[in-house]
Amino acid sequence: MSDTDSAIASTTPQALMGYHELLGMHVVEWEEGRAVVELTIEPKHLNRSGNVHGGVLASMLDSALSLAGLHCDVPGNIRRGMTLSLTTTFVGPAKQGVLRATGTLRGGGQKTFMTSGQIVDERGNLVAMGEGSFRRRSGSESSQGVPDPQLREPSE
């Protein structure tokens, strides 16, 4: 892990959790209006044809697209959202290497926002693209976000 990756990981512990970690996704860039998620292809990501499973690609797009509208600069705070719709178009196969999903905020308001993005392989070949509509949860409308409950001190 590079110094940049370490800095991103230490400032965005709330970005991806659980299911995302299970798949092996991690955030490599995250700023207002844009997010980039990467995944190193492993045998567990492949379908019976030896290509990355469409569900893995859809998950990567869902994560990158949603994060593009949920950035928060306040340390210890978080913005949460939920997917309203996600359209995924599979363009080409991926079998090995690193996949990079980039999501970009396209519009919306305080509660609902729209994003688009793509996944490319390490050679820059387009693998999938998508569009999504998302809703920010209560308290996440402001770029200030809300305190992340996972960072609270344990009660005595």
Side-chain angles (χ1 to χ4, degrees), residues 37-102:
V37 174
E38 286 187 348
L39 175 139
T40 300
I41 299 170
E42 299 177 34
K44 68 182 178 183
H45 299 122
L46 305 178
N47 61 23
R48 292 187 309 163
S49 297
N51 298 315
V52 174
H53 190 282
V56 173
L57 300 174
S59 293
M60 288 185 72
L61 283 168
D62 188 41
S63 297
L65 271 57
S66 65
L67 288 174
L70 297 173
H71 185 264
C72 181
D73 280 330
V74 178
N77 280 9
I78 187 173
R79 293 174 81 190
R80 290 195 171 106
M82 64 182 122
T83 306
L84 300 175
S85 69
L86 179 67
T87 302
T88 304
T89 303
F90 304 107
V91 178
K95 297 178 179 291
Q96 61 185 9
V98 176
L99 296 177
R100 184 175 180 91
T102 303

Side-chain angles (χ1 to χ4, degrees), residues 123-140:
R123 287 183 276 182
N125 297 316
L126 184 62
V127 175
M129 54 191 180
E131 295 180 326
S133 297
F134 303 86
R135 182 173 177 87
R136 294 182 182 102
R137 295 201 177 262
S138 294
S140 295

